[in-house]
Amino acid sequence: NAGVMQNPRHLVRRRGQEARLRCSPMKGHSHVYWYRQLPEEGLKFMVYLQKENIIDESGMPKERFSAEFPKEGPSILRIQQVVRGDSAAYFCASSPTRLVQETQYFGPGTRLLVL
Amino acid sequence: TQLLEQSPQFLSIQEGENLTVYCNSSSVFSSLQWYRQEPGEGPVLLVTVVTGGEVKKLKRLTFQFGDARKDSSLHITAAQPGDTGLYLCAGATGGYNKLIFGAGTRLAVHP
């Protein structure tokens, strides 16, 4: 059973471009969480999605950021018109249920660098 | 806003020493998880504690959840260089598994 897959692992964008980060959850997992980690900091929750639904996007910046988890295919975190402050590591995690004691399995992350 | 304060931020010790990392909050969490993160990788779960007062042991690592479910500690006995890494605590909140992370403790164990 493959783990959580994220691609690309590294992404370089110039200011104003779009960044698309993909996350394929573990097989059988229908709950996906996205987190952002700035250098030397802990992870910050961004958004929680179930298949085809956004459950909680309270950690997402109001503008330029969007997320989706379609019925088929990976979850996508999209950042439009990137700025230097968007440079960070973005992690997704998946779990089979939403239970609070359920293990979240993290992917290796996508490191975004905005020039 | 729920916060998890983790301390110390950095810890540099000699092999064989014991250490404790603390995670504190004024908020109650449904569960608390400890992760270890290696450079360039995602966090890997070490343990989940759910019940107030719960103690779990994983070889030389002992995890404790406070009675009021607001704080937790990680104790490592006889630290080894292989324990070097970033340790993160995370509390689950919101009625589902949304995690609030502490800032992390960067541990260095020297031979």
Side-chain angles (χ1 to χ4, degrees):
Chain A
N1 188 11
V4 177
M5 312 274 283
Q6 286 188 253
N7 67 80
R9 291 291 303 272
H10 300 273
L11 184 60
V12 180
R13 285 287 179 265
R14 297 194 179 278
R15 280 179 296 170
Q17 291 183 320
E18 178 180 287
R20 278 185 182 240
L21 287 61
R22 294 175 189 78
C23 169
S24 296
M26 287 181 70
K27 187 176 181 181
H29 289 195
S30 58
H31 301 258
V32 166
Y33 303 79
W34 284 92
Y35 297 85
R36 177 164 65 176
Q37 186 176 34
L38 295 172
E40 304 301 320
E41 292 190 13
L43 283 73
K44 297 283 193 296
F45 169 81
M46 298 182 75
V47 61
Y48 162 42
L49 310 104
Q50 262 183 277
K51 279 287 186 181
E52 299 184 90
N53 291 303
I54 297 175
I55 307 300
D56 182 345
E57 56 182 347
S58 59
M60 287 270 275
K62 293 286 188 287
E63 296 177 352
R64 302 188 297 108
F65 284 72
S66 62
E68 62 177 10
F69 189 16
K71 186 177 181 180
E72 302 291 336
S75 176
I76 306 286
L77 179 66
R78 183 182 176 206
I79 311 173
Q80 294 178 290
Q81 299 174 333
V82 296
V83 301
R84 288 214 174 108
D86 296 333
S87 295
Y90 292 83
F91 293 95
C92 79
S94 73
S95 63
T97 76
R98 58 180 281 165
L99 295 175
V100 294
Q101 62 267 38
E102 191 71 72
T103 296
Q104 280 190 30
Y105 296 88
F106 281 81
T110 293
R111 278 140 190 87
L112 173 65
L113 175 62
V114 180
L115 301 176
Chain B
T1 302
Q2 292 176 293
L3 290 173
L4 262 177
E5 294 188 2
Q6 196 171 337
S7 63
Q9 190 175 357
F10 298 97
L11 198 52
S12 181
I13 61 173
Q14 293 298 125
E15 183 176 1
E17 291 184 22
N18 302 331
L19 67 115
T20 303
V21 178
Y22 299 93
C23 203
N24 296 296
S25 176
S26 58
S27 303
V28 175
F29 290 99
S30 305
S31 69
L32 202 133
Q33 303 174 22
W34 285 91
Y35 290 83
R36 178 173 161 178
Q37 185 179 19
E38 301 294 340
E41 298 296 330
V44 175
L45 181 71
L46 295 174
V47 79
T48 300
V49 284
V50 179
T51 307
E54 184 176 3
V55 176
K56 281 193 174 179
K57 291 194 174 185
L58 188 66
K59 296 183 180 178
R60 294 177 294 102
L61 278 60
T62 301
F63 305 85
Q64 186 162 8
F65 201 12
D67 291 340
R69 305 207 321 272
K70 293 182 179 181
D71 55 86
S72 181
S73 64
L74 157 61
H75 182 79
I76 301 179
T77 304
Q80 298 177 0
D83 296 327
T84 294
L86 178 65
Y87 290 82
L88 297 161
C89 64
T93 181
Y96 45 85
N97 213 355
K98 169 183 173 179
L99 295 178
I100 306 295
F101 277 85
T105 294
R106 198 165 294 278
L107 171 66
V109 182
H110 304 282

